[in-house]
Amino acid sequence: MKIAIIGGTGYGAVELIRFLTNHPYVELTTIVSHSQSGTELSSVYPHLTDVIEMTMEALDVDKLSQSIDLVFFATPSNVSKEYIPAFVENGVKCIDLSGDFRLKSAEDYEQWYQSTLAEQKYVDQAVYGLSELYAEQIKEASIIANPGCYPTATLLGLMPAVKHRLINNHSILIDAKTGTSGAGRGLSLNVHFSEMNENLKAYKIGQHKHIPEIEQVLQTESGENLQVTFTTHLVPMTRGIMSTIYADLNESTQTEEVIHLYKEFYKNDPFVRVREAGVIPSTREVYGSNFCDIGIYADQRTGKLTIISVIDNLVKGASGQAIQNMNLLNGWDETTGINHLPIYP
Amino acid sequence: MKIAIIGGTGYGAVELIRFLTNHPYVELTTIVSHSQSGTELSSVYPHLTDVIEMTMEALDVDKLSQSIDLVFFATPSNVSKEYIPAFVENGVKCIDLSGDFRLKSAEDYEQWYQSTLAEQKYVDQAVYGLSELYAEQIKEASIIANPGCYPTATLLGLMPAVKHRLINNHSILIDAKTGTSGAGRGLSLNVHFSEMNENLKAYKIGQHKHIPEIEQVLQTESGENLQVTFTTHLVPMTRGIMSTIYADLNESTQTEEVIHLYKEFYKNDPFVRVREAGVIPSTREVYGSNFCDIGIYADQRTGKLTIISVIDNLVKGASGQAIQNMNLLNGWDETTGINHLPIYP
Amino acid sequence: MKIAIIGGTGYGAVELIRFLTNHPYVELTTIVSHSQSGTELSSVYPHLTDVIEMTMEALDVDKLSQSIDLVFFATPSNVSKEYIPAFVENGVKCIDLSGDFRLKSAEDYEQWYQSTLAEQKYVDQAVYGLSELYAEQIKEASIIANPGCYPTATLLGLMPAVKHRLINNHSILIDAKTGTSGAGRGLSLNVHFSEMNENLKAYKIGQHKHIPEIEQVLQTESGENLQVTFTTHLVPMTRGIMSTIYADLNESTQTEEVIHLYKEFYKNDPFVRVREAGVIPSTREVYGSNFCDIGIYADQRTGKLTIISVIDNLVKGASGQAIQNMNLLNGWDETTGINHLPIYP
Amino acid sequence: MKIAIIGGTGYGAVELIRFLTNHPYVELTTIVSHSQSGTELSSVYPHLTDVIEMTMEALDVDKLSQSIDLVFFATPSNVSKEYIPAFVENGVKCIDLSGDFRLKSAEDYEQWYQSTLAEQKYVDQAVYGLSELYAEQIKEASIIANPGCYPTATLLGLMPAVKHRLINNHSILIDAKTGTSGAGRGLSLNVHFSEMNENLKAYKIGQHKHIPEIEQVLQTESGENLQVTFTTHLVPMTRGIMSTIYADLNESTQTEEVIHLYKEFYKNDPFVRVREAGVIPSTREVYGSNFCDIGIYADQRTGKLTIISVIDNLVKGASGQAIQNMNLLNGWDETTGINHLPIYP
């Protein structure tokens, strides 16, 4: 099976390449970069020297459609929506790591992305690629809207509690923290080493694009018109996301009971690991891997449920989940090519 | 004025020394270390070489009381309560950086510190040393219970909102993050460089000793029997605390209005800086200094007030505030010796 | 093929496990830990939860010899020399990540390791496992003395220059830098996060155990009785070694000429990548992988050759090379199970 | 005494401001920024909020000359040489943190700075501001060429050995390492957090501008036409420089003897601290302070002298030394305003 990546100079692309290179069923044949077509990939990413010797190309949808079966978009916002319709019409499956096809509502998209939603027909076709929740739909999809990094950690952390009606869905508060790679390779003072090192920053409080994405899924799954409080922080590390999630328990529940429900919920999901009572996962424990690790604490004193959900933002939060979705789409074992252990330490 | 420090090998002590060395009105004459008496301080902390050439001594309360006027305790829990009564009886003022004299309730102390509270008579004398809130009492105190690092950031962040009845006090949730120096110099796998670097960890969820300290002050100041949700995280940096504080606004309020109230509240407090709307302080902006910087966001969509409060945990969160309290106690300008700008970058 | 690891609680062991888990030809059946026998591995290394569920065992050489074909020693100094002879007599191949069998001279071993060398008969059998240099001997070995991390980076960086007689071998100076994981998981103030973060330290100047190891190989390969100047530094990062190597060029040579010779020298070695003129590899470019990347600069002004050689100390500097040697020993492709791309960023 | 800073948006300027704010004899009245005149300094550096409330101005040499006594240039290369002559003619003392007036030879300047040297008359007036070596000339200077960060650490480390003729001056090799703040606030992929974190890079091997600066001083002080090998590395930390310096001892000398000579050499210099045998300073031990700490190891096995010299690149390597020079120039105690202890940890 032949694969192309659009957006070859970003971190999403190199992380796709890391996994695809060792994937047994696919061949990466084309890497497209708008800004750097004609450039050798290894001159931009020297860690690929002698192993991935490919020249980045300009995008020609029709030509590319003839030679490939599936395309990953690892592009900034508002790029994939221009090209995915043509690929789909040409019979090429699309997995989109950007946010263009995640929101179903044109109004929400305009409010949070300050841009116009893609043609509704294609938005309707797009399946939200949270693998553990929507595996059945993903298998039939032509467009997969790969989830954002924060929504992945947050929704996997919340879903069993929401489905089991353990919590008051109107009390959900998410204090999220990320490493800097989520901000990409674009230069900014915010992630200038001298200023980000030995520093901790909150940003985009109440204004992050991932808010409507989280709410859309929670509303659909709960049937309630809820809103979440969501704050994001930049931590001086390259990889890793932690969502610390809080909600009021509907009734007094022990930590162990909650853990039991969570383990049952994810018993067939190899990439979600629910920890025992008293054990809280740290981001390093999923570093470089596709795991989402979850820790639970039900506070008997305050009636608050605290859920800690950690992922590697570039793997389960982006490229790893994209490949998991590709596997599902093709009927392969979902762990194919991404069953790496975390790198520790 | 002659000063002694008890607990000479910890970070609290070296940070006291950094400020006291340049303080115009005091002389540091004695450093006590139980575990390392007889050792030169500079052999334990080589950065003091040639500047602070003192030998650590064993503690003899009566002898020491004759030569000094004030003592700082920078000791672990359950040490100062053994010695402070005798110092007080000898007429020596005590500033305690540990938690021994912070809680007023013997029951709370036993529950959270797993130990017996100090003699109630001395606990009653002790003034909680949150300088901006209790300056008047501090000026008259013989024992100052210097606040914990998390309570300092959290209470300074909350107090104007509580006093102005802006928020529902029963909805307070604090997601706190600290650098590793708060864990001290004692070795543990948790702060082993190879495991803490490029890592983010939640710890002691709902179980941190600073919970009753925060609640005690909030209950006193609000008159309400409230409880807080409080979670702590270790961030891969040495210094800095950020408290991200959430509460429900009692009525719809604009960010600018809240900021205005905060600025008024702290207008005579040189170490508290409230930022303008849209500006959120990061921990680096107070690094090495005694400032507490506060950012505000009132979310019109959710009705939630978010307060970001940052300090250097070893300065305003410990030794800097201790010296601020010493200044207040002696009627000196409260910024004496601690009016350093943050080190940036 | 059945495999055991002795020394299950160290970083060498977990890195072996990371690679062995996905290796197609081997099965890891036993993990031995002297200090933690009876403990589940995942309780010590939670990142292995649900994937590697094994209990560590005590060592019984005879019993173990009946069920396994090959054993990796990932033990501290002076352990493997006690057990390897018995394994060898039982027909079990041994790959030793410690330094016990690297030095051939009993005198050198005593001087640098402050202990007695293993029985000479077994030392003589041991092959020094620098894969690129000694592949033929490795294929026939019963004991493989896996090289130290610094010697691996340094010798791969030097060997083409020494073999081609480009440099004065008596002028070799190595300024080496490592991340902290080389110091292992044992706690020490030296690698306490608060003190190692934002810090750079030189250590063991002229006294590091890896000096005689480097000199032994250089002496053998050059036929000269040379000594090297070797200094080591701790850098605030977890993984990575850089050897900055200096030597006087025997005659004026252009950078490009040296690079040409290096590329030729390593043309059949998939894990050594020699960069083009003007390009110097950084440690991140080999992170998590078995590559050794080399950059060259021949200074026409001073006649000095500078060689930059980088590896991941836990992979090519330890566990990755150990598996490469296992592959060679068994006649498998040397990249089997370790052909991962570096993790970037 | 009234002071201006030219180049207000760089790290050199903010570090000057940190020290000048608490300096008892000077008043900072003007901050000039070419690119950001009219902007409030605290909007660019929020850590100065409420404390330094100044607006940056455009440069008008004549007008500024009437109101100030001394100007610091904290500008990029090739700026100060345009303005310093006019200030000098107006009777204003100039301390230049850039490299414009360090090299005396027009040829060297053109080769290493790719630009034309300042007017020779002013270059001749300029005194090289290595405070410990040239205090007498500094006291009489109108232009002080403040040394580069690497040359400061390196020359202080070498000077006693050169002056006492302990070493072969033709064998000097310097392996230098710096934190990222030396690269300034300008954005580049090289110091993008995600790529610099957990990374170590060599750069500008044999081509750094500080080479001719080091050689010029060594040639002058030794009377020999020597050249040095000099390599620079970027370390994942914000502050700190370590120069690891190697040279051949002229005759067998014990470490203790060398240390004795060094201590004698610097006995009247409060900012240079020579460590005892067996103790090597790390960069953290001078963090935020104006100290230069030196460790010595004389290797009896190889005859090589190794000198470790550490400074904070922004303090003794830039702004701290600039103020030290201002103090010398004005006949004040050289430690005035910069006698801070290092921040530890």
Side-chain angles (χ1 to χ4, degrees):
Chain A
M1 190 166 158
K2 292 194 191 323
I3 304 282
I5 297 172
I6 320 278
T9 58
Y11 293 151
V14 282
E15 195 67 349
L16 282 169
I17 291 168
R18 177 164 76 93
F19 290 114
L20 292 173
T21 302
N22 288 345
H23 194 289
Y25 307 140
V26 305
E27 184 190 357
L28 175 63
T29 59
T30 309
I31 299 172
V32 169
S33 168
H34 179 69
S35 60
Q36 306 224 24
S37 70
T39 305
E40 294 212 12
L41 186 62
S42 65
S43 74
V44 180
Y45 284 108
H47 74 285
L48 299 175
T49 302
D50 293 357
V51 184
I52 309 294
E53 290 297 356
M54 296 176 76
T55 302
M56 292 183 279
E57 301 176 17
L59 180 56
D60 179 332
V61 174
D62 286 337
K63 195 172 149 219
L64 192 55
S65 298
Q66 291 165 23
S67 65
I68 59 152
D69 306 295
L70 186 148
V71 62
F72 290 102
F73 278 85
T75 42
S77 290
N78 301 320
V79 173
S80 70
K81 70 182 183 189
E82 302 299 326
Y83 300 105
I84 280 183
F87 276 115
V88 167
E89 295 307 327
N90 289 339
V92 176
K93 303 277 188 175
C94 295
I95 301 180
D96 184 12
L97 280 73
S98 86
D100 285 18
F101 288 84
R102 293 180 198 151
L103 299 187
K104 297 300 185 190
S105 146
E107 196 183 335
D108 280 357
Y109 192 83
E110 280 183 47
Q111 180 188 340
W112 295 91
Y113 284 76
Q114 282 85 48
S115 179
T116 316
L117 187 62
E119 199 181 331
Q120 194 73 43
K121 166 183 163 192
Y122 298 101
V123 172
D124 291 346
Q125 279 183 49
V127 172
Y128 188 68
L130 190 59
S131 318
E132 282 71 18
L133 208 59
Y134 301 114
E136 292 313 311
Q137 297 93 310
I138 289 165
K139 290 175 187 171
E140 310 296 330
S142 53
I143 304 170
I144 297 172
N146 214 57
C149 48
Y150 288 124
T152 296
T154 303
L155 293 169
L156 290 175
L158 271 169
M159 208 45 66
V162 169
K163 289 294 208 177
H164 282 287
R165 307 204 168 278
L166 291 179
I167 56 173
N168 174 354
N169 295 325
H170 296 279
S171 69
I172 296 172
L173 185 153
I174 302 135
D175 188 283
K177 299 97 178 166
T178 187
T180 60
S181 59
R185 210 184 202 198
L187 302 180
S188 92
L189 195 55
N190 218 29
V191 288
H192 189 57
F193 185 87
S194 298
E195 312 228 342
M196 184 64 233
N197 181 39
E198 189 72 1
N199 202 352
L200 175 65
K201 307 177 182 181
Y203 71 105
K204 290 191 193 165
I205 303 181
Q207 298 171 322
H208 198 288
K209 281 186 178 91
H210 289 167
I211 292 174
E213 185 178 334
I214 293 169
E215 290 180 349
Q216 176 178 281
V217 174
L218 291 178
Q219 286 163 2
T220 305
E221 299 299 324
S222 72
E224 294 183 72
N225 185 23
L226 57 85
Q227 288 181 311
V228 299
T229 295
F230 181 72
T231 301
T232 45
H233 302 77
L234 266 175
V235 175
M237 60 187 192
T238 299
R239 286 173 180 247
I241 274 183
M242 178 180 287
S243 266
T244 310
I245 307 165
Y246 304 90
D248 294 330
L249 283 161
N250 283 331
E251 50 191 84
S252 176
T253 318
Q254 296 297 315
T255 298
E256 289 77 3
E257 293 175 66
V258 182
I259 289 173
H260 178 72
L261 291 172
Y262 269 65
K263 283 184 177 275
E264 272 298 300
F265 192 90
Y266 288 122
K267 69 182 170 192
N268 297 319
D269 293 307
F271 289 122
V272 181
R273 305 188 295 190
V274 181
R275 296 296 164 83
E276 302 302 329
V279 183
I280 301 295
S282 69
T283 60
R284 187 90 220 184
E285 292 170 19
V286 297
Y287 194 92
S289 81
N290 200 49
F291 290 106
C292 174
D293 284 10
I294 296 172
I296 301 285
Y297 181 73
D299 193 332
Q300 303 309 304
R301 206 178 70 96
T302 61
K304 193 73 84 175
L305 181 65
T306 303
I307 305 156
I308 305 283
S309 176
V310 297
I311 60 170
D312 182 320
N313 56 303
L314 293 179
V315 188
K316 184 62 179 169
S319 303
Q321 184 157 248
I323 293 173
Q324 186 180 359
N325 288 332
M326 177 188 75
N327 290 338
L328 289 169
L329 188 62
N330 288 285
W332 305 326
D333 183 304
E334 67 184 310
T335 68
T336 309
I338 47 176
N339 61 344
H340 296 49
L341 280 172
I343 296 209
Y344 195 93
Chain B
M1 190 167 158
K2 291 193 191 328
I3 305 281
I5 297 172
I6 320 279
T9 58
Y11 293 151
V14 281
E15 196 67 351
L16 282 169
I17 291 167
R18 177 163 76 93
F19 290 114
L20 291 173
T21 302
N22 288 345
H23 195 289
Y25 306 139
V26 305
E27 183 189 357
L28 174 63
T29 59
T30 310
I31 299 171
V32 168
S33 168
H34 179 69
S35 61
Q36 307 226 23
S37 69
T39 305
E40 294 212 11
L41 185 63
S42 65
S43 74
V44 180
Y45 283 108
H47 72 285
L48 300 175
T49 302
D50 293 357
V51 184
I52 309 294
E53 290 297 355
M54 297 176 75
T55 302
M56 292 183 281
E57 302 176 17
L59 180 56
D60 179 331
V61 174
D62 286 337
K63 195 173 151 219
L64 192 56
S65 298
Q66 291 165 23
S67 65
I68 59 150
D69 305 296
L70 185 147
V71 62
F72 290 101
F73 277 85
T75 43
S77 290
N78 302 319
V79 173
S80 70
K81 71 182 184 188
E82 303 299 326
Y83 300 104
I84 280 183
F87 276 115
V88 167
E89 296 306 326
N90 289 340
V92 177
K93 303 278 189 174
C94 294
I95 300 179
D96 184 12
L97 280 72
S98 86
D100 285 19
F101 288 84
R102 292 180 198 151
L103 299 188
K104 297 299 186 190
S105 146
E107 196 184 335
D108 279 355
Y109 192 83
E110 280 183 46
Q111 180 189 339
W112 294 91
Y113 284 77
Q114 281 86 48
S115 179
T116 316
L117 188 62
E119 200 181 330
Q120 194 72 45
K121 166 181 164 194
Y122 297 100
V123 173
D124 291 346
Q125 280 183 48
V127 171
Y128 188 68
L130 189 59
S131 317
E132 283 71 18
L133 207 60
Y134 301 114
E136 293 314 309
Q137 297 93 310
I138 290 165
K139 290 174 186 172
E140 310 296 329
S142 52
I143 304 170
I144 296 171
N146 214 58
C149 48
Y150 287 123
T152 295
T154 302
L155 292 168
L156 291 174
L158 270 169
M159 208 46 66
V162 169
K163 289 295 207 176
H164 282 287
R165 305 202 170 280
L166 292 179
I167 56 173
N168 174 354
N169 294 325
H170 296 279
S171 69
I172 295 171
L173 185 152
I174 302 135
D175 188 283
K177 300 97 179 166
T178 187
T180 59
S181 59
R185 211 184 202 199
L187 302 181
S188 91
L189 194 55
N190 218 30
V191 288
H192 189 55
F193 185 86
S194 298
E195 312 228 344
M196 184 64 232
N197 181 39
E198 190 70 3
N199 203 352
L200 174 65
K201 308 177 182 182
Y203 71 104
K204 289 191 193 167
I205 304 181
Q207 298 171 321
H208 198 287
K209 280 186 178 91
H210 289 168
I211 292 174
E213 185 178 335
I214 293 169
E215 290 180 349
Q216 176 177 280
V217 174
L218 291 178
Q219 286 163 2
T220 305
E221 298 299 324
S222 71
E224 293 183 71
N225 185 24
L226 58 85
Q227 287 180 312
V228 298
T229 295
F230 180 73
T231 301
T232 46
H233 302 78
L234 266 175
V235 175
M237 60 187 194
T238 299
R239 286 172 180 248
I241 274 183
M242 177 180 287
S243 266
T244 310
I245 307 166
Y246 304 90
D248 294 330
L249 283 161
N250 283 331
E251 50 190 84
S252 176
T253 318
Q254 297 296 315
T255 299
E256 288 77 2
E257 294 176 67
V258 182
I259 289 174
H260 178 73
L261 291 172
Y262 269 65
K263 283 184 175 276
E264 274 297 301
F265 192 91
Y266 289 122
K267 68 182 172 192
N268 296 320
D269 293 306
F271 289 122
V272 181
R273 305 188 294 190
V274 181
R275 295 297 163 82
E276 302 302 329
V279 183
I280 301 294
S282 68
T283 60
R284 187 90 222 185
E285 292 169 20
V286 298
Y287 194 93
S289 81
N290 201 49
F291 291 106
C292 174
D293 284 9
I294 295 172
I296 301 284
Y297 181 74
D299 194 331
Q300 304 308 306
R301 207 178 68 96
T302 61
K304 193 71 84 175
L305 181 65
T306 303
I307 306 155
I308 305 283
S309 176
V310 296
I311 60 170
D312 183 321
N313 56 303
L314 294 178
V315 188
K316 184 61 179 171
S319 303
Q321 184 158 248
I323 293 173
Q324 186 180 0
N325 287 332
M326 176 187 76
N327 290 337
L328 289 168
L329 187 64
N330 288 285
W332 305 327
D333 183 302
E334 67 184 311
T335 68
T336 309
I338 46 175
N339 60 345
H340 297 49
L341 280 173
I343 296 207
Y344 195 92
Chain C
M1 191 167 156
K2 291 192 189 329
I3 304 282
I5 296 173
I6 320 278
T9 59
Y11 292 151
V14 281
E15 195 68 349
L16 282 169
I17 290 167
R18 178 165 73 95
F19 291 114
L20 291 173
T21 302
N22 287 345
H23 195 289
Y25 307 140
V26 304
E27 183 191 356
L28 175 63
T29 59
T30 309
I31 298 172
V32 169
S33 168
H34 179 69
S35 61
Q36 307 224 25
S37 69
T39 305
E40 294 212 12
L41 186 62
S42 65
S43 74
V44 180
Y45 283 107
H47 74 285
L48 300 175
T49 301
D50 292 356
V51 184
I52 309 292
E53 290 297 356
M54 297 175 75
T55 302
M56 294 183 279
E57 303 176 17
L59 180 55
D60 180 331
V61 176
D62 286 337
K63 195 173 150 220
L64 192 56
S65 298
Q66 290 164 24
S67 65
I68 58 151
D69 305 296
L70 185 148
V71 62
F72 289 101
F73 277 85
T75 43
S77 291
N78 301 319
V79 173
S80 70
K81 70 182 185 188
E82 304 298 326
Y83 301 104
I84 280 184
F87 276 115
V88 167
E89 296 306 326
N90 289 340
V92 176
K93 303 277 188 176
C94 294
I95 300 179
D96 183 12
L97 281 74
S98 86
D100 284 19
F101 288 84
R102 292 180 198 150
L103 299 187
K104 297 300 185 189
S105 146
E107 197 183 334
D108 280 357
Y109 192 83
E110 282 182 46
Q111 180 189 339
W112 294 90
Y113 283 76
Q114 281 85 49
S115 179
T116 315
L117 188 61
E119 198 180 333
Q120 193 72 44
K121 168 183 160 191
Y122 298 101
V123 173
D124 291 347
Q125 279 182 48
V127 171
Y128 188 68
L130 189 59
S131 316
E132 282 72 18
L133 207 60
Y134 302 114
E136 292 313 311
Q137 297 94 310
I138 290 165
K139 289 175 188 173
E140 310 296 329
S142 53
I143 304 170
I144 296 172
N146 214 57
C149 49
Y150 287 124
T152 295
T154 302
L155 292 169
L156 290 175
L158 271 169
M159 207 47 64
V162 168
K163 288 296 207 175
H164 282 288
R165 306 203 169 279
L166 291 180
I167 55 173
N168 174 354
N169 294 324
H170 296 278
S171 69
I172 295 171
L173 186 152
I174 303 135
D175 189 283
K177 299 98 178 164
T178 187
T180 60
S181 59
R185 212 184 200 199
L187 303 180
S188 91
L189 194 55
N190 218 29
V191 287
H192 190 55
F193 186 86
S194 298
E195 312 227 343
M196 184 64 232
N197 181 39
E198 189 70 3
N199 202 352
L200 174 65
K201 307 177 182 181
Y203 71 104
K204 290 193 192 166
I205 304 181
Q207 298 171 322
H208 198 287
K209 281 186 178 90
H210 289 168
I211 292 173
E213 186 179 334
I214 292 168
E215 291 180 348
Q216 175 178 282
V217 174
L218 291 178
Q219 286 164 2
T220 305
E221 298 300 323
S222 72
E224 294 183 71
N225 186 24
L226 58 85
Q227 289 181 313
V228 298
T229 295
F230 181 73
T231 301
T232 46
H233 302 77
L234 267 174
V235 174
M237 61 186 192
T238 299
R239 284 172 181 248
I241 275 184
M242 178 180 286
S243 267
T244 310
I245 307 166
Y246 303 91
D248 295 330
L249 283 162
N250 282 331
E251 51 189 83
S252 175
T253 316
Q254 296 295 316
T255 298
E256 288 78 1
E257 293 175 67
V258 182
I259 288 173
H260 178 73
L261 290 172
Y262 269 65
K263 282 183 175 276
E264 273 298 300
F265 192 91
Y266 288 122
K267 68 182 170 191
N268 297 319
D269 293 306
F271 288 123
V272 181
R273 305 188 293 190
V274 181
R275 296 296 165 81
E276 301 302 329
V279 183
I280 301 294
S282 69
T283 61
R284 188 91 221 182
E285 292 169 20
V286 298
Y287 193 91
S289 81
N290 201 49
F291 290 107
C292 175
D293 285 9
I294 296 173
I296 301 285
Y297 181 73
D299 193 330
Q300 304 308 306
R301 206 178 70 94
T302 61
K304 192 74 83 176
L305 181 66
T306 303
I307 305 156
I308 304 284
S309 177
V310 297
I311 60 171
D312 183 319
N313 56 302
L314 294 178
V315 188
K316 184 62 180 170
S319 303
Q321 184 157 245
I323 293 173
Q324 187 180 0
N325 288 331
M326 177 188 75
N327 289 338
L328 288 169
L329 187 63
N330 288 285
W332 304 327
D333 183 303
E334 68 184 309
T335 68
T336 309
I338 46 176
N339 60 345
H340 296 50
L341 279 172
I343 296 208
Y344 195 93
Chain D
M1 190 165 157
K2 292 194 190 325
I3 304 281
I5 296 173
I6 320 278
T9 58
Y11 292 151
V14 281
E15 195 67 351
L16 282 168
I17 291 167
R18 178 164 75 94
F19 291 114
L20 291 173
T21 302
N22 287 346
H23 194 291
Y25 306 140
V26 304
E27 183 189 357
L28 175 63
T29 59
T30 309
I31 298 172
V32 169
S33 167
H34 179 69
S35 60
Q36 306 224 24
S37 69
T39 305
E40 295 213 11
L41 186 62
S42 65
S43 74
V44 180
Y45 284 107
H47 73 285
L48 300 176
T49 302
D50 292 357
V51 183
I52 309 293
E53 289 298 356
M54 297 175 75
T55 302
M56 293 183 280
E57 303 176 17
L59 180 56
D60 179 330
V61 175
D62 286 338
K63 195 173 150 218
L64 192 56
S65 298
Q66 290 165 25
S67 65
I68 59 151
D69 305 295
L70 185 147
V71 62
F72 289 102
F73 278 85
T75 43
S77 290
N78 301 318
V79 173
S80 71
K81 70 182 185 188
E82 303 298 326
Y83 301 104
I84 280 184
F87 276 115
V88 168
E89 295 307 325
N90 289 340
V92 176
K93 304 277 189 176
C94 294
I95 301 179
D96 183 11
L97 280 74
S98 86
D100 284 19
F101 288 84
R102 292 180 197 150
L103 299 188
K104 297 300 186 189
S105 146
E107 196 184 335
D108 279 357
Y109 192 83
E110 281 183 45
Q111 180 189 340
W112 295 89
Y113 283 77
Q114 282 85 48
S115 179
T116 315
L117 188 62
E119 198 180 332
Q120 192 74 44
K121 167 182 162 193
Y122 298 101
V123 173
D124 291 347
Q125 279 183 48
V127 171
Y128 188 68
L130 189 59
S131 317
E132 282 72 18
L133 207 61
Y134 301 115
E136 293 313 309
Q137 295 94 308
I138 290 165
K139 289 175 187 173
E140 311 296 328
S142 53
I143 304 170
I144 296 172
N146 214 57
C149 49
Y150 288 124
T152 296
T154 302
L155 292 168
L156 290 175
L158 271 169
M159 208 45 66
V162 169
K163 289 295 207 176
H164 282 289
R165 305 202 169 280
L166 291 179
I167 55 172
N168 174 354
N169 294 325
H170 296 279
S171 69
I172 295 172
L173 187 153
I174 303 135
D175 189 283
K177 299 98 178 165
T178 188
T180 59
S181 59
R185 210 183 202 200
L187 302 180
S188 90
L189 194 56
N190 217 30
V191 288
H192 190 56
F193 185 87
S194 298
E195 312 228 343
M196 185 64 232
N197 181 39
E198 189 71 3
N199 202 353
L200 175 65
K201 307 178 182 181
Y203 70 104
K204 288 191 194 168
I205 303 181
Q207 298 171 321
H208 199 288
K209 281 187 177 90
H210 288 168
I211 292 174
E213 185 178 335
I214 292 169
E215 290 181 348
Q216 176 178 281
V217 174
L218 291 178
Q219 286 163 2
T220 304
E221 298 300 323
S222 72
E224 293 182 72
N225 185 23
L226 58 84
Q227 288 181 312
V228 299
T229 295
F230 181 73
T231 301
T232 45
H233 302 78
L234 267 175
V235 175
M237 61 186 194
T238 299
R239 285 171 180 248
I241 275 185
M242 178 180 286
S243 267
T244 311
I245 307 166
Y246 303 91
D248 295 330
L249 284 162
N250 282 331
E251 50 190 83
S252 175
T253 318
Q254 297 296 315
T255 299
E256 288 78 2
E257 293 175 67
V258 181
I259 288 173
H260 178 73
L261 290 172
Y262 270 65
K263 282 182 175 277
E264 274 297 301
F265 191 92
Y266 288 122
K267 68 182 172 193
N268 297 320
D269 294 306
F271 289 122
V272 182
R273 305 189 294 190
V274 182
R275 295 297 164 81
E276 302 301 330
V279 183
I280 302 295
S282 69
T283 60
R284 188 90 220 183
E285 292 170 20
V286 297
Y287 194 93
S289 81
N290 201 49
F291 290 107
C292 175
D293 284 10
I294 296 173
I296 301 285
Y297 181 73
D299 194 331
Q300 304 308 305
R301 205 179 71 95
T302 61
K304 192 73 83 175
L305 181 66
T306 303
I307 305 156
I308 305 284
S309 176
V310 297
I311 60 171
D312 183 319
N313 55 303
L314 294 178
V315 189
K316 184 62 180 172
S319 303
Q321 184 157 248
I323 293 173
Q324 186 179 0
N325 288 331
M326 177 188 76
N327 290 338
L328 288 169
L329 187 65
N330 288 285
W332 303 327
D333 183 302
E334 68 185 308
T335 68
T336 309
I338 46 175
N339 60 345
H340 296 50
L341 279 172
I343 296 208
Y344 194 93

